């Protein structure tokens, strides 16, 4: 059963089928249609005698498990078979349940959106797309025109990046310790002092150039760069005082 120009549907397998004669006389099968957005794992069946290559966000996936693909991101499946030329078979995107990566939800050709809601209220949409620039919980219902099968996407959209106050930093420079204890729950921080990665803690005290990348659960990121100048803390002052006392006694 033809879905669109690139995709068919096999009712017996209950999977989408892809015919690529340049690669194999047999079909590829997947639980997703070409161009589909999903939040659940994806299965792909590759014909014998074919060399598949799966890309995630532009990077080749090493030792891909085609029976269970679950890591969020944008995927492209390419394959080489009867000819030496690599052909694209399909593309799809696996989303986190909470994401900041989606501003427009679009269904593949051959599918129609029947209902779209934002936080339970009807939201503006066309037959093929939903604007998701506004934050909140979306529920989108759509169907395959050829099979009349219904599909649903439920997702929380969060476009707000994580932030830090960094009150001690002025014009990218701090003259003493920098407090980062206001980091939001669920946010991860990659902190580098120069080229060395350091463990996240409530207060950064060592002098040098810092680079901090914050990533929240929706995938939103914020980057900070600043320098902590050399400064004297109480421990340093005590050491200096002891040094001078010892120097005075030796005179």
């Amino acid at each position: 059963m033809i879905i669109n120009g690139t995709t068919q549907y096999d009712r017996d397998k209950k999977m989408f089928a892809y015919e690529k004669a340049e690669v194999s006389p047999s079909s590829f099968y997947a639980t997703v249609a070409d161009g589909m957005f999903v939040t659940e794992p994806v299965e792909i069946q590759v014909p014998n005698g074919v060399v598949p290559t799966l890309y995630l966000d532009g990077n080749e996936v090493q030792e891909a498990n085609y029976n269970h693909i679950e890591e969020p991101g944008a995927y492209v499946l390419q394959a080489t078979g009867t000819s030496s030329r690599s052909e694209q078979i399909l593309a799809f995107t696996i989303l986190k349940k909470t994401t900041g990566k989606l501003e427009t939800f679009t269904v593949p050709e051959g599918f129609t959106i029947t209902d779209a809601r934002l936080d339970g209220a009807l939201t503006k949409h066309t037959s093929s797309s939903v604007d998701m620039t506004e934050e909140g919980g979306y529920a989108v219902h759509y169907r395959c025109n050829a099979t009349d099968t219904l599909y649903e996407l439920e997702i929380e959209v969060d476009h707000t990046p994580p932030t830090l106050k960094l009150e001690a930093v002025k014009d990218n420079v701090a003259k003493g310790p920098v407090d980062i204890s206001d980091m939001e729950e669920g946010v991860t921080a990659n902190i580098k002092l120069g080229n060395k990665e350091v463990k996240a803690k409530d207060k950064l005290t060592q002098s040098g150039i810092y680079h901090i990348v914050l990533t929240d659960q929706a995938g939103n990121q914020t980057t900070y760069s600043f320098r902590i100048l050399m400064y004297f803390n109480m421990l340093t002052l005590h050491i200096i005082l002891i040094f001078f006392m010892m120097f005075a006694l030796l005179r």
Side-chain angles (χ1 to χ4, degrees):
M1 181 176 294
I2 297 175
I3 305 299
N4 56 45
T6 62
T7 311
Q8 300 184 43
Y9 189 78
D10 188 308
R11 287 191 179 274
D12 294 331
K13 285 180 171 287
K14 296 182 179 180
M15 299 179 78
F16 296 96
Y18 302 88
E19 293 184 356
K20 291 289 182 179
E22 304 89 344
V23 177
S24 172
S26 301
S27 296
F28 293 78
Y29 294 94
T31 54
V32 288
D34 186 24
M36 188 175 275
F37 291 89
V38 296
T39 56
E40 61 274 357
V42 171
E43 178 187 352
I44 298 176
Q45 295 179 4
V46 178
N48 292 329
V50 169
V51 180
T53 305
L54 187 65
Y55 294 92
L56 170 59
D57 295 332
N59 300 311
E60 183 177 345
V61 178
Q62 302 297 324
E63 300 181 0
N65 179 8
Y66 291 97
N67 294 320
H68 191 87
I69 303 166
E70 64 176 357
E71 186 176 347
Y75 287 87
V76 174
L77 175 66
Q78 293 187 316
T80 304
T82 53
S83 70
S84 59
R85 188 176 65 181
S86 178
E87 295 283 343
Q88 180 170 320
I89 310 302
L90 77 155
F92 59 93
T93 301
I94 299 178
L95 298 168
K96 293 181 178 181
K97 287 288 188 179
T98 299
T99 183
K101 302 293 185 180
L102 192 61
E103 294 194 347
T104 302
F105 170 73
T106 305
V107 294
E109 182 185 353
F111 293 77
T112 301
I113 296 173
T114 58
D115 185 76
R117 295 177 183 270
L118 170 58
D119 294 330
L122 288 172
T123 188
K124 187 177 179 180
H125 65 279
T126 68
S127 61
S128 61
S129 66
V130 180
D131 185 338
M132 292 188 173
T133 53
E134 188 174 347
E135 296 183 335
Y138 286 85
V140 181
H141 295 83
Y142 60 104
R143 65 180 177 86
C144 176
N145 300 334
T147 66
D148 207 33
T149 303
L150 300 178
Y151 297 87
E152 180 181 14
L153 179 77
E154 288 191 359
I155 200 163
E156 186 76 23
V157 173
D158 173 12
H159 295 304
T160 304
T163 58
L164 291 170
K165 292 180 181 178
L166 300 181
E167 294 177 340
V169 179
K170 306 297 180 185
D171 296 325
N172 300 321
V173 174
K175 297 180 180 179
V178 175
D179 191 320
I180 59 170
S181 61
D182 60 312
M183 189 164 56
E184 302 165 29
E185 185 177 352
V187 171
T188 59
N190 178 271
I191 304 174
K192 285 188 176 180
L193 175 56
N195 294 321
K196 182 181 178 182
E197 190 168 328
V198 297
K199 186 177 180 180
K201 51 187 176 180
D202 288 346
K203 187 174 290 187
L204 305 176
T205 58
Q206 191 172 344
S207 61
I209 298 175
Y210 285 85
H211 299 283
I212 302 177
V213 179
L214 302 180
T215 306
D216 66 15
Q217 294 177 327
N220 300 304
Q221 288 189 334
T222 304
T223 301
Y224 295 100
S225 295
F226 57 88
R227 178 194 293 271
I228 297 180
L229 300 176
M230 290 287 293
Y231 65 95
F232 293 118
N233 56 26
M234 291 303 296
L235 177 60
T236 306
L237 291 174
H238 279 119
I239 292 173
I240 293 174
L241 180 60
I242 292 171
F243 173 80
F244 278 109
M245 290 176 64
M246 292 179 64
F247 180 75
L249 289 174
L250 291 174
R251 291 188 61 183

